[in-house]
Amino acid sequence: MRVHVIGCSGSFAGPDGAASSYLIEQEDADGRTWRVLMDLGSGAFGPLQKLLDPAELDAVIISHLHPDHYLDLTGLEVFWAYHERTDLGQLPIHAPEPLAERLSAVLSREGHVPDGVTCSPFDYRVITDGHRFTIGPLEIEVREVVHPVEAYGFRVTSGDEVLAYSGDTDACPALDELARGADLFLCEAGYIEGRDDRFTGVHLTGRRAGESAARAGVGRLALTHIPAWTDPSVPLAEARAVHDGPITMVRPADILEVSR
Ligand SMILES: [Zn+2]
Ligand SMILES: [Zn+2]
């Protein structure tokens, strides 16, 4: 399993890249490559097109409905609705329940839809805590985490390879359970100890991400969701102070291998 980093800027697109979006690729037993997009935040639909033709996507999973995690679905929706290929079918979008209504409002879909346009390009599938589903060779477990809105993390398993993704969260037991023994723990560290102590129940710091990785016994910790106003070396040092295992700071266009 591989994870392509399309965007990893925390909370909003930054000068060096888009907000959160990751492409998971995995081959099945027949050699077909499956492509699942995990979040599509502000600014991410542009760089996604440098990586692949979006028509090749098999599904999208959305952690929560903050703009830095879902807003560029507006671009993907237009792409799918107006594409010259008429055999694309509906693209499955696994997301919190209000997504369809939110996108419809942003896209002004309540008005007239021109003839020839696929008016329902997305097949919305609601995710809830504890939900499990399969996309090709990928088994996905959903856990609710701690954030100001309904928010989820994902545990993605294929064979004996495990990817854990925090989404946006503060420290919580569900995060540790998602990450338990994962080969790659893609974990946000949007806050800094001290500077952001007045905000609780929103984001992890490098320290809290590192503590979760240590409790969960992960193979590798990859820190992400660093806002433009934060020096990445600070959350990285916080995590290294509390976790002995390999730790990296993700960058746009990185390719992360998920393996034992
Ligand atoms: Zn975020
Ligand atoms: Zn958020």
Side-chain angles (χ1 to χ4, degrees), residues 11 64 68-69 168 203 225:
S11 301
H64 67 295
D68 61 317
H69 293 261
D168 280 5
H203 288 299
H225 200 282

Side-chain angles (χ1 to χ4, degrees), residues 61-136:
I61 57 179
I62 297 291
S63 64
H64 67 295
L65 302 185
H66 274 154
D68 61 317
H69 293 261
Y70 88 97
L71 200 60
D72 266 28
L73 282 174
T74 51
L76 182 61
E77 202 268 7
V78 171
F79 177 96
W80 218 267
Y82 286 82
H83 201 281
E84 64 180 4
R85 275 178 55 187
T86 54
D87 63 342
L88 288 180
Q90 285 185 312
L91 180 64
I93 313 281
H94 303 259
E97 195 268 336
L99 177 64
E101 186 182 346
R102 302 275 178 90
L103 277 186
S104 178
V106 176
L107 289 158
S108 301
R109 279 283 184 261
E110 69 277 10
H112 174 67
V113 176
D115 291 342
V117 174
T118 304
C119 56
S120 301
F122 290 167
D123 174 9
Y124 294 103
R125 304 186 186 185
V126 174
I127 58 172
T128 54
D129 186 37
H131 187 52
R132 292 169 188 258
F133 56 98
T134 300
I135 302 170

Side-chain angles (χ1 to χ4, degrees), residues 3 28 36 47 54 62 68 80 95 98 111 122 149 152 164 172 179 185 224 249:
V3 179
D28 65 16
V36 174
I62 297 291
D68 61 317
W80 218 267
F122 290 167
V149 299
Y152 300 99
C172 61
F185 183 24
T224 189
M249 179 64 69

Side-chain angles (χ1 to χ4, degrees), residues 3-252:
V3 179
H4 296 263
V5 178
I6 297 159
C8 57
S9 181
S11 301
F12 45 84
D16 300 320
S20 295
S21 188
Y22 310 92
L23 178 71
I24 305 170
E25 285 186 336
Q26 174 68 317
E27 285 73 39
D28 65 16
D30 298 325
R32 174 202 194 287
T33 300
W34 288 74
R35 298 180 174 90
V36 174
L37 194 60
M38 190 163 68
D39 284 343
L40 188 56
S42 334
F45 190 57
L48 172 69
Q49 294 167 76
K50 285 202 271 188
L51 193 59
L52 85 169
D53 177 353
E56 296 173 10
L57 289 172
D58 292 295
V60 181
I61 57 179
I62 297 291
S63 64
H64 67 295
L65 302 185
H66 274 154
D68 61 317
H69 293 261
Y70 88 97
L71 200 60
D72 266 28
L73 282 174
T74 51
L76 182 61
E77 202 268 7
V78 171
F79 177 96
W80 218 267
Y82 286 82
H83 201 281
E84 64 180 4
R85 275 178 55 187
T86 54
D87 63 342
L88 288 180
Q90 285 185 312
L91 180 64
I93 313 281
H94 303 259
E97 195 268 336
L99 177 64
E101 186 182 346
R102 302 275 178 90
L103 277 186
S104 178
V106 176
L107 289 158
S108 301
R109 279 283 184 261
E110 69 277 10
H112 174 67
V113 176
D115 291 342
V117 174
T118 304
C119 56
S120 301
F122 290 167
D123 174 9
Y124 294 103
R125 304 186 186 185
V126 174
I127 58 172
T128 54
D129 186 37
H131 187 52
R132 292 169 188 258
F133 56 98
T134 300
I135 302 170
L138 303 171
E139 295 171 23
I140 297 161
E141 178 183 354
V142 179
R143 290 301 306 272
E144 186 159 19
V145 290
V146 175
H147 202 50
V149 299
E150 177 187 0
Y152 300 99
F154 300 119
R155 184 179 173 93
V156 182
T157 303
S158 182
D160 61 358
E161 299 170 358
V162 179
L163 161 70
Y165 173 54
S166 65
D168 280 5
T169 184
D170 205 339
C172 61
L175 180 69
D176 295 354
E177 290 163 22
L178 272 177
R180 184 153 294 131
D183 301 298
L184 179 68
F185 183 24
L186 181 59
C187 186
E188 70 120 307
Y191 281 170
I192 286 180
E193 295 288 329
R195 184 191 73 184
D196 300 313
D197 287 356
R198 68 189 187 282
F199 307 117
T200 57
V202 185
H203 288 299
L204 296 159
T205 59
R207 179 187 178 90
R208 297 201 286 274
E211 289 170 343
S212 179
R215 285 191 296 269
V218 304
R220 180 155 64 115
L221 171 62
L223 297 174
T224 189
H225 200 282
I226 310 302
W229 54 47
T230 296
D231 176 352
S233 69
V234 176
L236 187 59
E238 284 184 8
R240 286 191 168 141
V242 295
H243 179 52
D244 292 334
I247 305 175
T248 53
M249 179 64 69
V250 307
R251 304 264 314 152

